[in-house]
């Protein structure tokens, strides 16, 4: 075979030029020309949103009974919550403040299954769960099974910032709330006509196995400093008993935030979200498999969970938002610094 001149070293015989070219190539790929270290953040600050926010008001089992009037009330409430959170972010406030304010607002709204509008337990009470996480340092706080705290998300944040613990439950959590001077209400504060009717219906139709609505609320945010946060609050599922706790106060299942990947808040059948570690799984797919937040969310909601299990909202460290669900609908809203703003139900 003809020994044609090598393109880089035409004066050298090919048997010498080829190994030489290979050595040069290897040397360059391992650092010549000042290339960035391999563990540098994938996105330069200029390619990320200044801020981004997503909110959910729960996954809806079916849209059949959702009339125009209730849809309009959901949309108005979500839009209001979105504006509250966005104002904080646009003013340079932190993602933790933003998600707390959004969730607190929705907890005070009787339409959602969190705080004021919480569902009824098997024995006609309300037990509330909430969690919050700061993606800067993985600090987090959660409460489960509280019955007299007006805004469980505020208590979850105090657990995060004022205690050495991550999750407090029941009476102990309320004793801590009293020490912290947080607002208590009578348990009847959480009674609403619509949830009572749902409970009555649930008692009549327990065996029917109808698709349930999950009115849990949650928010995820990226702030101008590049920090992520997530918060979730719920009354759980109608008719729950035996001290049942779902995914909402379980960090890694219903809530997760890590500046290196994303912030996630979930809604749906809590047992499945705990079993599959949904929120943290989405983060792990981004960190270790290099998936985008949209692809990671899609895989977990549709390939790991089963149809009808629920949905998630997530925001990445560059401000990309994913809102994925496998139920009839999910109450959701998003806004970011590019001016994009959406409130969606279907
Ligand atoms: N995930 C919540 C729970 O299982 C319920 C919901 O999202 O509505 O407690």
């Amino acid at each position: 075979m003809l020994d044609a001149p090598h393109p880089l070293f035409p004066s050298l015989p090919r048997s010498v030029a080829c190994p030489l070219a290979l050595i040069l190539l290897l040397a360059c790929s391992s650092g010549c020309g000042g290339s960035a270290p391999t563990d540098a953040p994938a996105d330069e600050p200029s390619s990320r949103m200044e801020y981004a926010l997503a909110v959910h008001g729960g996954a809806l089992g079916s849209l059949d009974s959702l009339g125009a009037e209730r849809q309009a009330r959901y949309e108005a409430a979500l839009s209001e919550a979105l504006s509250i959170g966005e104002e904080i972010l646009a003013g340079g406030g932190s993602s933790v403040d933003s998600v707390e304010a959004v969730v607190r607002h929705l907890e005070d709204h009787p339409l959602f299954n969190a705080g004021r509008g919480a569902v009824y337990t098997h024995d006609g009470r309300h037990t509330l769960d909430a969690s919050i996480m700061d993606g800067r340092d993985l600090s987090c706080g959660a409460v489960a099974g509280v019955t007299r705290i007006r805004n469980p998300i505020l208590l979850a944040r105090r657990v995060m910032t004022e205690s050495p613990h991550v999750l407090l439950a029941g009476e102990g959590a309320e004793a801590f709330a009293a020490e912290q001077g947080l607002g208590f209400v009578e348990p009847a504060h959480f009674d609403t006509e619509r949830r009572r009717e749902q409970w009555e219906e649930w008692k009549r139709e327990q065996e029917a196995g109808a698709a349930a609505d999950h009115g849990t609320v949650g928010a995820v945010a990226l702030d101008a400093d590049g920090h992520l946060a997530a918060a979730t609050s719920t009354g759980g599922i109608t008719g729950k008993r035996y001290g049942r706790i779902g995914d909402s106060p379980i960090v890694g299942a219903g809530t997760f935030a890590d500046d290196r990947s994303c912030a996630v808040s979930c809604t749906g059948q809590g047992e499945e979200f705990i079993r599959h570690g949904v929120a943290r799984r989405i983060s792990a797919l981004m960190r270790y498999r290099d998936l985008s937040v949209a692809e990671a969310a899609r895989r977990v909601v549709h390939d790991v969970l089963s149809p009808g299990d629920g949905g998630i909202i997530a925001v990445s460290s560059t401000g990309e938002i994913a809102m994925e669900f496998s139920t009839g609908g999910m109450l959701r809203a998003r806004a970011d610094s590019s001016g994009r703003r959406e409130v969606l139900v279907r």
Side-chain angles (χ1 to χ4, degrees), residues 94-115:
S94 75
S95 51
V96 178
D97 284 346
S98 174
V99 295
E100 180 198 88
V102 168
V103 168
R104 179 186 188 173
H105 179 76
L106 295 173
E107 283 179 341
D108 283 335
H109 202 297
L111 212 48
F112 300 94
N113 173 22

Side-chain angles (χ1 to χ4, degrees), residues 78-214:
L78 284 174
S79 177
E80 217 170 77
L82 191 68
S83 299
I84 289 170
E86 189 177 9
E87 199 177 312
I88 292 172
L89 295 171
S94 75
S95 51
V96 178
D97 284 346
S98 174
V99 295
E100 180 198 88
V102 168
V103 168
R104 179 186 188 173
H105 179 76
L106 295 173
E107 283 179 341
D108 283 335
H109 202 297
L111 212 48
F112 300 94
N113 173 22
R116 177 87 176 89
V119 295
Y120 284 70
T121 62
H122 186 266
D123 54 354
R125 300 182 309 126
H126 310 278
T127 61
L128 313 174
D129 309 329
S131 63
I132 192 163
M133 187 160 188
D134 187 337
R136 273 181 308 185
D137 54 3
L138 307 187
S139 58
C140 47
V143 293
V146 294
T147 57
R148 296 180 301 140
I149 307 299
R150 176 177 166 157
N151 291 110
I153 199 65
L154 299 189
L155 182 54
R157 185 160 180 183
R158 294 294 179 95
V159 173
M160 174 170 82
T161 58
E162 308 302 323
S163 91
H165 308 299
V166 163
L167 172 59
L168 300 180
E171 282 174 17
E174 292 185 351
F176 177 68
E179 271 176 34
Q180 291 291 314
L182 288 188
F184 275 71
V185 289
E186 287 303 317
H189 167 80
F190 304 111
D191 289 344
T192 56
E193 204 38 50
R194 192 171 137 250
R195 296 297 183 197
R196 177 173 288 281
E197 280 164 17
Q198 270 180 359
W199 176 53
E200 301 291 350
E201 194 182 319
W202 173 83
K203 283 192 287 186
R204 282 193 303 272
E205 297 178 359
Q206 258 192 86
E207 304 304 322
D213 282 355
H214 299 279

Side-chain angles (χ1 to χ4, degrees), residues 113 213-216 234 236-237 244 246-248 266-271:
N113 173 22
D213 282 355
H214 299 279
T216 292
T234 191
I237 52 176
R244 180 265 186 194
D247 59 314
S248 306
C266 305
T267 172
Q269 191 57 47
E271 285 71 10

Side-chain angles (χ1 to χ4, degrees), residues 264-276:
V264 184
S265 172
C266 305
T267 172
Q269 191 57 47
E271 285 71 10
E272 295 305 312
F273 284 73
I274 294 173
R275 189 167 284 129
H276 296 289

Side-chain angles (χ1 to χ4, degrees), residues 37-69:
T38 49
D39 60 352
D43 295 281
E44 295 303 320
S46 59
S47 71
R48 78 163 171 88
M49 292 286 169
E50 194 185 320
Y51 68 78
L53 171 68
V55 178
H56 75 76
L60 301 177
S62 146
L63 296 176
D64 294 349
S65 60
L66 181 71
E69 189 256 347

